[in-house]
């Protein structure tokens, strides 16, 4: 298999801080920020805090938003609409855009099918009086589940470093509401037990349809249909915590037929106790190098977490699933603590000024899930950037097949008279970079998809017309179905890769969709063809019938070994 090398290239200016970044199409990404005096302006001269990124021109255009989208969560639902939920209280400051309270907000975008973002569906729809959450949520997680609806969990009433019993939303609601549950929430014992470190709970849909929830250093498996916690998994080893405010990551590794055995990777964060006080924290506290994985089968759970070590400590790292199944770990810092520990200043400034983290992590790490333990983590072939990507940074796979890297804003200052560079170590970052594999940098031959289905029912077959370069034809062939997720505060909610069964005859590639919504929740995705480690540009596809949620069970059941 080809060994890729990578290159950073700076291209364009985002105009806002896209701390929430969602890839919409080959030409567009949606960006949400907090209302600031951003350089990107609305038609009335007010600063924008939402916008569209145009991949073809590397420019941004503003979007109007009513509510404060800062610190929201979100996901696509089964009909292709992007839903953003929760946010921050009112920011009604002249020149800042005058955002109303966003903590109960539901924002709808799309489907936007025009390449330039000017057509129907390419605006943010809000109706705060009639369309809103049941409770206020700051730092919630939203996850598209097997019926194509959103499971919305956790968060807080107010801005906080540690979540507290008096402010925590230790509960779950759904959008649209499940039958008989309109106006109600489900209390969550797991979220209550993981206080005070349970903001943005890291959650995944397992091939059984159950939900894996990770917060603090604990994990649980939850049955949505029966509202039952099925089991607790072993705690993360060595006292390491990855949930906010300790800021590591948890990612479901690629699923492969026929068994779709789920393995979860949890890396970075801190080994500090959750009883630590803000006064005891420092932006020089070294993050952990621990990287652990567990396979969620009876045998895998019995074996427990398998521990490896990152090449360097990581706080607030992000993960980008690549079409060949590898995982790019990028952004963040080497020292500091917790979310407002890795972000807005609240701890000791013994190093960086007005940042709760220091020593930027400027060289990515590649994780190769298929290799043996001890060989999976490497920085070979990976470049170093000179742009610090700290708190509020973002990275996403693109339709072209490279990685867009943007944002960083670890201080509370805005572009105004108070925004003096002497007040902070790391500026508000508007420069956009792309991390390119060598076959994009060099223009080397790669697979080319010339025709593909726009929609595929579960367990159905479809055909793709593809050209495989002769230089790659002898290598392994893979077909990847990817949900790029909703990126917020380094957490790629809902990011998922499923390898598809396929056969190649000449230039005709016959693929089989996932068997059901437990394997890949009904909704939009991207397909890439990979030959000898080199991937094509992505094409978009709708998996399932494309109807409004909740969708009835589709496809076929399969025999799986996961919990």
């Amino acid at each position: 298999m080809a060994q890729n090398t990578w290159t950073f290239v700076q291209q364009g200016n985002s105009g806002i801080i896209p701390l929430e970044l969602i890839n919409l199409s080959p030409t567009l990404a949606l960006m949400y920020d907090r209302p600031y005096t951003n350089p990107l302006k609305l038609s009335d001269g007010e600063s924008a805090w939402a916008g569209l990124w145009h991949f073809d021109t590397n420019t941004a255009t503003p979007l109007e938003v009513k509510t404060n989208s800062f610190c929201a969560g979100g996901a696509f639902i089964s009909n292709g609409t992007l839903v953003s939920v929760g946010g921050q209280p009112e920011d009604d400051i002249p020149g800042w855009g005058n955002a109303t309270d966003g903590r109960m907000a539901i924002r709808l975008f799309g489907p936007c099918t025009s390449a330039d973002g000017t057509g129907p569906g390419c605006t943010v729809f809000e109706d705060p009086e009639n369309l809103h959450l049941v409770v206020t949520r700051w730092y919630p997680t939203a996850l598209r589940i097997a019926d194509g609806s959103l499971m919305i969990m956790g968060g807080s009433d107010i801005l906080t470093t540690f979540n507290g019993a008096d402010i925590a939303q230790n509960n779950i609601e759904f959008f649209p509401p499940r039958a008989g549950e309109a106006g109600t929430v489900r209390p969550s014992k797991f979220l209550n037990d993981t206080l005070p470190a349970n903001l943005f709970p890291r959650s995944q849909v397992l091939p059984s349809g159950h939900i894996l929830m990770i917060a603090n250093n604990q994990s649980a498996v939850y049955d949505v249909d029966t509202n039952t916690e099925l089991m607790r998994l072993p705690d993360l080893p060595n006292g390491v915590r990855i949930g906010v405010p300790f800021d590591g990551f948890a990612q479901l590794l690629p699923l492969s037929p026929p068994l779709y055995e789920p393995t979860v990777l949890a890396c970075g964060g801190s080994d500090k106790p959750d009883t630590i006080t803000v006064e005891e924290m420092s932006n020089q506290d070294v993050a952990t190098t621990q990287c652990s994985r567990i396979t969620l089968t009876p045998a895998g759970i019995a074996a427990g977490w398998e521990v490896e070590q990152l090449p360097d400590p990581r706080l607030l790292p992000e993960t980008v699933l690549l079409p060949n199944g590898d995982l790019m770990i990028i952004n963040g810092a080497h020292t500091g603590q917790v979310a407002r520990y890795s972000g807005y200043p609240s701890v000791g400034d013994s190093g960086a000024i007005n940042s709760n983290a220091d020593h930027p992590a400027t060289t990515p790490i590649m994780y190769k899930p298929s290799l043996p333990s001890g060989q999976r983590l490497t920085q070979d072939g990976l470049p170093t950037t000179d742009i610090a990507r700290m708190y509020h940074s973002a990275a996403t796979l693109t339709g072209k097949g490279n990685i867009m890297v943007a944002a960083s804003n670890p201080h509370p200052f805005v572009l105004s008279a108070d925004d003096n560079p002497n007040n902070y170590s790391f500026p508000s970052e508007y420069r956009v970079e792309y991390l390119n594999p060598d076959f994009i940098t060099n223009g080397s031959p790669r697979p080319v998809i010339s025709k593909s289905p726009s929609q595929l029912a579960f367990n159905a077959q479809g055909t793709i017309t593809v050209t495989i370069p002769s230089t790659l034809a002898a290598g392994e062939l893979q077909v990847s179905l990817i949900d790029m997720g909703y990126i917020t505060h380094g957490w790629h909610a809902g990011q998922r890769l499923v390898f598809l069964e396929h056969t190649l005859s000449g230039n005709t590639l016959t693929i089989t969709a996932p068997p059901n919504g437990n394997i890949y929740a009904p909704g939009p995705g991207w397909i890439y063809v990979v030959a000898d480690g080199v991937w094509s540009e992505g094409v978009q596809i709708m998996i399932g019938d494309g109807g409004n949620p909740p969708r009835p069970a589709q496809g076929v059941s399969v025999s799986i070994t996961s919990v």
Side-chain angles (χ1 to χ4, degrees):
M1 180 176 291
Q3 173 66 46
N4 294 320
T5 57
W6 297 73
T7 306
F8 278 111
V9 178
Q10 183 187 327
Q11 291 183 295
N13 185 301
S14 59
I16 65 175
I17 304 296
L19 55 98
E20 295 164 42
L21 180 64
I22 310 96
N23 199 340
L24 300 172
S25 73
T27 58
L28 297 172
L30 178 62
M31 308 180 294
Y32 283 121
D33 188 9
R34 174 188 178 179
Y36 289 120
T37 49
N38 282 318
L40 188 66
K41 304 297 183 183
L42 297 164
S43 58
D44 62 2
E46 291 280 344
S47 292
W49 70 93
L52 291 173
W53 179 255
H54 300 263
F55 288 111
D56 51 354
T57 60
N58 294 308
T59 58
T61 53
L63 289 172
E64 292 194 17
V65 186
K66 297 177 182 177
T67 59
N68 195 338
S69 55
F70 191 46
C71 303
F76 288 97
I77 55 176
S78 58
N79 63 9
T81 300
L82 179 68
V83 183
S84 169
V85 297
Q88 179 140 309
E90 179 180 18
D91 271 332
D92 188 6
I93 299 174
W96 284 33
N98 302 321
T100 60
D101 193 333
R103 291 173 297 169
M104 294 181 71
I106 297 176
R107 308 170 196 87
L108 306 180
F109 185 91
C112 172
T113 58
S114 68
D116 64 359
T118 61
C122 300
T123 57
V124 179
F125 174 81
E126 295 178 275
D127 182 3
E129 293 297 319
N130 301 296
L131 183 66
H132 55 78
L133 298 174
V134 178
V135 297
T136 55
R137 295 187 189 273
W138 178 84
Y139 268 50
T141 287
L143 183 69
R144 185 170 81 250
I145 58 177
D147 66 2
S149 66
L150 290 194
M151 177 179 170
I152 303 161
M153 62 203 91
S156 174
D157 282 336
I158 60 174
L159 288 63
T160 184
T161 297
F162 288 103
N163 214 359
D166 57 333
I167 59 173
Q169 292 293 358
N170 293 330
N171 54 61
I172 297 166
E173 62 179 286
F174 298 88
F175 177 78
R178 292 173 76 86
E181 296 187 29
T184 66
V185 297
R186 296 180 178 182
S188 169
K189 185 177 186 302
F190 173 75
L191 290 176
N192 187 69
D193 290 348
T194 51
L195 286 171
N198 67 358
L199 299 169
F200 281 137
R202 277 58 169 152
S203 302
Q204 320 277 347
V205 180
L206 298 177
S208 59
H210 301 137
I211 309 301
L212 173 66
M213 302 172 67
I214 303 178
N216 205 321
N217 66 340
Q218 301 180 46
S219 310
V221 178
Y222 173 73
D223 188 321
V224 172
D225 293 331
T226 64
N227 187 21
T228 304
E229 185 181 304
L230 300 179
M231 67 172 65
R232 295 283 174 104
L233 301 177
D235 288 352
L236 289 172
N238 303 313
V240 167
R241 306 174 196 280
I242 64 163
V244 173
F246 293 97
D247 286 322
F249 74 78
Q251 176 62 53
L252 182 69
L253 296 179
L255 298 172
S256 299
L259 296 179
Y260 302 101
E261 286 190 352
T263 297
V264 175
L265 183 71
C267 302
S270 174
D271 60 4
K272 297 295 183 182
D274 61 8
T275 55
I276 193 172
T277 65
V278 171
E279 293 74 20
E280 295 172 307
M281 301 172 183
S282 165
N283 58 20
Q284 300 304 300
D285 293 340
V286 179
T288 183
T289 59
Q290 181 168 289
C291 205
S292 308
R293 61 187 263 177
I294 188 170
T295 299
L296 300 182
T297 62
I301 294 171
W305 292 91
E306 178 186 8
V307 176
E308 301 173 84
Q309 301 298 323
L310 297 165
D312 50 49
R314 291 288 165 131
L315 178 75
L316 210 74
E318 298 186 53
T319 59
V320 178
L321 281 169
L322 301 176
N324 66 349
D326 290 347
L327 193 67
M328 186 72 77
I329 302 170
I330 192 169
N331 297 344
H334 298 309
T335 67
Q337 297 293 335
V338 302
R340 310 221 353 140
Y341 211 16
S342 61
Y344 282 0
S346 56
V347 305
D349 278 347
S350 57
I353 302 170
N354 273 310
S355 172
N356 286 343
D358 198 1
H359 304 101
T362 53
T363 304
I365 300 169
M366 188 73 77
Y367 182 84
K368 297 177 175 293
S370 61
L371 294 184
S373 178
Q375 301 177 33
R376 298 173 184 143
L377 290 154
T378 181
Q379 291 178 304
D380 291 347
L382 294 173
T384 297
T385 179
D386 60 359
I387 300 177
R389 302 291 184 181
M390 309 290 276
Y391 189 52
H392 292 155
S393 61
T396 182
L397 184 67
T398 74
K400 182 183 286 189
N402 55 2
I403 297 173
M404 175 185 176
V405 187
S408 183
N409 180 226
H411 63 78
F413 300 106
V414 296
L415 295 180
S416 67
D418 295 326
D419 187 22
N420 185 328
N422 295 323
N423 289 338
Y424 50 76
S425 297
F426 306 110
S428 299
E429 187 57 70
Y430 296 96
R431 290 174 292 177
V432 173
E433 295 173 289
Y434 292 94
L435 182 55
N436 296 330
D438 54 6
F439 54 83
I440 290 180
T441 300
N442 303 327
S444 304
R446 58 193 294 203
V448 175
I449 298 173
S450 54
K451 185 179 180 181
S452 63
S454 61
Q455 186 169 354
L456 203 56
F458 285 102
N459 206 49
Q461 290 190 330
T463 58
I464 293 174
T465 302
V466 62
T467 301
I468 307 294
S470 59
T471 54
L472 305 175
E476 179 186 11
L477 186 68
Q478 300 166 298
V479 183
S480 305
L481 171 65
I482 299 179
D483 184 333
M484 298 179 187
Y486 186 110
I487 300 159
T488 178
H489 295 70
W491 162 224
H492 291 221
Q495 182 177 224
R496 192 179 193 87
L497 189 156
V498 178
F499 286 119
L500 301 183
E501 295 179 318
H502 60 274
T503 57
L504 179 65
S505 177
N507 288 341
T508 300
L509 182 65
T510 301
I511 62 173
T512 302
N516 56 57
N518 296 339
I519 306 300
Y520 189 93
W526 295 75
I527 285 181
Y528 295 81
V529 174
V530 187
D532 196 28
V534 175
W535 49 88
S536 66
E537 293 191 2
V539 294
Q540 291 184 283
I541 190 168
M542 174 64 73
I543 300 297
D545 62 15
N548 296 334
R551 306 308 304 147
Q554 303 171 54
V556 298
S557 60
V558 291
S559 177
I560 59 174
T561 57
S562 66
V563 294

